[in-house]
Amino acid sequence: MKSTAVCSPVYTFGGQISRPLTVSNKAGRSKQFQKLLYNMCLKMSSDTREDFVSSTYVGCSQETSRKKMKHLTCFLVLFLISGVGSFDLVIDEIPDDVQDLVDLEIDGLPTSSKTRNGRYQRSTSDWGYVGDLVEDDDKIGLYSYKVQSTITSRLANTMIQAKMVNNANRPQHIVFDVQVPKGAFIDNFTMDINGITFTSQIREKSEARKMYSQAKAKGKAAGIVRSNALDMENFKTEVNVPPGMRIQFELHYHEMIRRKLSSYEHLISVKPGRLAKHLEVDVRIIEPQGLRYVHVPNSLGDHFDGITTISKGEKKAHVSFKPTMTQQRKCPKCSSTAVDGNFVVQYDVNRETTGGELEIFNGYFIHFFAPENLDPLPKNILFVIDVSGSMWGLKMKQTIEAMKAILSELRAADQFSLIDFNHNVRCWRDNLVSATPAQVEDAKKYIQAIHPNGGTNINEALLRATFILNEAQNLGMLDPNSVSMIVFVSDGDPTVGEVKLTAIQKNVKQSIKDEFSLFCLGIGFDVDYDFLQRIASDNRGMAQRIFGNQETSAQMKNFYNQVSTPLLKKIQFNYPQESVSDVTQSSFHNYFGGSEIVVAGKVDTENLQHLESIVTATAANAELVLETLRDVEELDGFMKKDRYADPEFTKKLWAYLTVNQMLAERNTAPTAALKKNITKSILQMSLDHHIVTPFTAMLIENAEKDEIMLADQPKDPRKGCCSGTLGLTPNAPNNNKGIPAWANVTAVPVSYMPEQRSPPVSSLSINRVDNDPHFIIHLPKSQRNICFNINSDPGKILNLVSDPGTGVVVNGQLVGSKKAENKKLNTYFGKIGFYFKNKGLKVEITTETITLKDGSYSITLKWADTGHIIRKQLLISLKKENNVTIAVGEQMSFMVVLHRVWKGHPVNVDFLGIYIPPENQFSPEVHGLIGQFASEPEVYIHHQRPGQVPEKPQATMEVKGNKLTVTKGLQKDYRTERVLGTDVQCWFVHNSGKGFIDGHYKDYLVPHLYSFLKKP
């Protein structure tokens, strides 16, 4: 038999022959796509086309090849490559009837933006004029590189889009390589090749890999590489693009911007790789709380100084970076771009309340909690430092530099010690010592003398640290309000002693107290970061990877600064159980200054008008109970009016927090069954919210779903399944009683709660000072009210109560109106001070804040807050913009009422009123303008007669041996009605109460807000 030569079309890459292109007449191939291929062929010269086709037939004679050209005008192979591997998307056979393609030709390019099934899709045909592109030697032009990011209440949605064109006369690889912040959720990726769009979907990982494998077996699959790099994650794909073809990439991801060191920092990687005709970074910020500031550091270099524009309003801001092509150049004649780095936007929001901000929208709530004006809690801190041989060189040098700086920042109230370990464990001190200057200097010398060598005994080092803390607590050396922590620094795995990581994790968990936290710093990529995350989150801490380079020292100091200022401990968030569901982590061990706690959940807005939250916590000198109340429709109008705001920001934030919480719980799950259940929940959340997590993958397909790319989780050889996030950890005990019934209050005895100790506001039998200032003294025995005014100068301090027996002082400082009326300047109380000497507590109330002071510690609430402060059986209860009640056990209570006036009022100012029940249990030594009436004087009123004004009769009052002319009139009680007040009848004593009070009113002037009244 005569043999017949068989030839198959193949393509070449890198000089190697790849597998034959399958030639089939597959049903369903769209004419639009056929038209695309034909149009690309039309752009080739006939010689190029002949050479192109001839070169693709291997083993065929020239004559045979020419015969094939009669049937095959041209063909296209779209080739995708990732990293070290190559993949291909195979295009089917060119149709026999070429005339069908000619009939479809319209102006040389397809114009429809619809897919075969009629759906609209992005198309490269809307690019407009693409000339004047600057090309490198590869003739690849970057038409545009656009980044759009919108932040809605900390939720950042970011889109990175690149439009490129291959202007060479040969197929070339075009790379889309961007960096995404670690912890961000990728939710969409599309690729448009001359109007043919590849769209994405999220699938369960094993299912996605199966589909990908099946497509790959048929030669119709490609990959996208995702890898880790510093604090970012690379997302990369390469496409082999035929000459003249345009391609558009578009990646979408979202993340929650976390607050660190008193600032939100939104970081966007901008690395276009070449000059772009149009380059733009556009960031919009929408924060209903209001923007405190917006700052864009010059992170891309001085080359771009002055190009960024910032427009800031009260609650919105717009940041724009649009360098021209000339401005992008590294030098005037350079063809390379200087745009290569991170674009950073920093901002912070206004905080009117200490109890946090509740934002409710579309059936979800987000609770942002970042209190300020709190004194730091004392720290008991142990530094455990790996000094094994692998730390030799730059890593050790940088660690020593960082530790010396960190030691210098310890506060006088802190206690500390150092442990360094290799195969042995050594302690600088066997116990905690105070952070005195001498001890700090000695510790620095110890650190400086360290020389790395030997193996790594992690187990013994951590157990020694927990032993020191446990012993200090057992001996009563730790302040009950202090925070104890271990900071562990290592660059490798255990090699000495116990080397099994699960055993080390179990040992540390068993030995560490519930009150202690473990923070882990992993240096470089040799350390098992997954293990550090597990052991940290298992013990109320967090982990962070430190990259072993010139920036190691700065990274370590930055991490320490995040945990160096604990302001609260045992924080518990409470919401009405009948109104909310699926609440994220609501119990936190510590709150650090400059950070933020975020809690989210679903809320029944259909059957609820207001949502209330109660946060309980322990501060440096008090127990806090903070209340927040928000209308469930408060945000509706604002959100619906802003076209840039994400209407699903609450839903996305809730999902973001929930998934990350479940990932952390999975890492520390004690049983395989629990871990499996958590995995199922994460998977379902991922599919429901269309996000890539460790248990899902993104499939990118064309409209026919016969050409597939796979975007999988990044691979890290020393890392577990789950990317780490810096955050607060759970496990704070939840054993508290509460107010109301659904709220858990930390260490608050029920007998001291405000419902039981607040003065009986319905009763008018109370001593009060209000307005300018009007004193109303209630005399219980005679059931009369006696009134008088004090006319003194602004700045003067009047003593109201001075009781040496109980150690209680109440003083008020006068403030004047803005100007005089009828030649008289009215004065009011602008500041009231309480001193409880026996408790060592001071309370200062102004028209702006309420501050509790205990020695060198203080805690401040704003009038915008609702909450309670508890310290040494002293309860301060604040009702938002209304009043403050101070209760001292069961013995006495006081109420201060706030009076607000219009800020632009030409005369009046904000002022305070004070109400003191006569039942307060003062000692017989009590005195003061009000205190002297604790012992009620004999009062006889007679000879009532008409006064100058008919409704104000006069009378004679005999008191303390004096006969006084008094006038009957009305004064106001503002406890229940703060605007109009409630009328109170009283007999008014003229001349600043002369004859009714002991001595002259000037006898009651004191030098300081907490001064006792001197005895006459």
Side-chain angles (χ1 to χ4, degrees), residues 426-574:
R426 293 168 297 276
C427 298
W428 167 68
R429 294 285 187 272
D430 290 329
N431 55 286
L432 295 171
V433 298
S434 297
T436 63
Q439 295 283 18
V440 168
E441 285 304 312
D442 192 69
K444 289 181 182 178
K445 292 177 183 177
Y446 180 85
I447 288 286
Q448 188 67 54
I450 289 176
H451 296 287
N453 64 84
T456 309
N457 193 342
I458 291 176
N459 185 67
E460 187 177 341
L462 288 175
L463 292 184
R464 181 74 62 87
T466 60
F467 173 80
I468 292 175
L469 285 177
N470 288 335
E471 187 177 41
Q473 186 177 62
N474 294 337
L475 294 175
M477 296 173 57
L478 305 184
D479 184 333
N481 282 335
S482 64
V483 169
S484 299
M485 63 179 73
I486 298 169
V487 177
F488 174 70
V489 181
S490 180
D491 75 332
D493 285 346
T495 60
V496 178
E498 178 61 71
V499 296
K500 191 175 180 181
L501 297 181
T502 54
I504 297 174
Q505 182 178 350
K506 182 180 179 181
N507 292 341
V508 174
K509 176 69 174 176
Q510 289 178 344
S511 64
I512 200 167
K513 295 276 189 178
D514 288 341
E515 291 82 6
F516 304 159
S517 297
L518 174 61
F519 298 95
C520 298
L521 292 173
I523 300 179
F525 283 91
D526 292 329
V527 66
D528 192 320
Y529 184 62
D530 183 45
F531 165 68
L532 295 184
Q533 280 191 299
R534 289 198 311 271
I535 199 170
S537 60
D538 210 19
N539 296 286
R540 298 158 298 281
M542 57 187 176
Q544 181 167 312
R545 189 190 295 280
I546 301 295
F547 296 87
N549 53 28
Q550 296 291 344
E551 301 298 321
T552 296
S553 177
Q555 294 173 60
M556 290 181 65
K557 287 185 286 187
N558 182 277
F559 177 84
Y560 173 75
N561 288 337
Q562 293 179 49
V563 300
S564 64
T565 311
L567 298 182
L568 296 172
K569 59 188 293 187
K570 299 179 182 177
I571 308 104
Q572 179 70 47
F573 291 76
N574 307 278

Side-chain angles (χ1 to χ4, degrees), residues 342-487:
N342 295 325
F343 188 81
V344 179
V345 178
Q346 298 170 337
Y347 73 95
D348 200 9
V349 299
N350 298 322
R351 289 176 180 83
E352 295 183 357
T353 65
T354 306
E357 184 71 16
L358 270 176
E359 296 187 2
I360 306 161
F361 193 65
N362 278 352
Y364 293 84
F365 77 87
I366 311 294
H367 193 165
F368 299 105
F369 182 76
E372 300 170 326
N373 302 317
L374 299 171
D375 285 331
L377 296 162
K379 294 193 300 293
N380 311 302
I381 185 167
L382 267 165
F383 299 98
V384 182
I385 304 168
D386 184 349
V387 295
S388 60
S390 59
M391 286 286 289
W392 182 267
L394 180 62
K395 284 191 283 189
M396 195 71 246
K397 180 181 178 182
Q398 292 277 307
T399 300
I400 290 173
E401 179 185 334
M403 283 304 306
K404 290 167 71 174
I406 289 169
L407 289 171
S408 296
E409 295 178 4
L410 291 173
R411 300 181 180 88
D414 295 340
Q415 299 186 93
F416 79 106
S417 189
L418 300 169
I419 295 176
D420 63 295
F421 72 97
N422 44 27
H423 51 281
N424 295 316
V425 177
R426 293 168 297 276
C427 298
W428 167 68
R429 294 285 187 272
D430 290 329
N431 55 286
L432 295 171
V433 298
S434 297
T436 63
Q439 295 283 18
V440 168
E441 285 304 312
D442 192 69
K444 289 181 182 178
K445 292 177 183 177
Y446 180 85
I447 288 286
Q448 188 67 54
I450 289 176
H451 296 287
N453 64 84
T456 309
N457 193 342
I458 291 176
N459 185 67
E460 187 177 341
L462 288 175
L463 292 184
R464 181 74 62 87
T466 60
F467 173 80
I468 292 175
L469 285 177
N470 288 335
E471 187 177 41
Q473 186 177 62
N474 294 337
L475 294 175
M477 296 173 57
L478 305 184
D479 184 333
N481 282 335
S482 64
V483 169
S484 299
M485 63 179 73
I486 298 169
V487 177

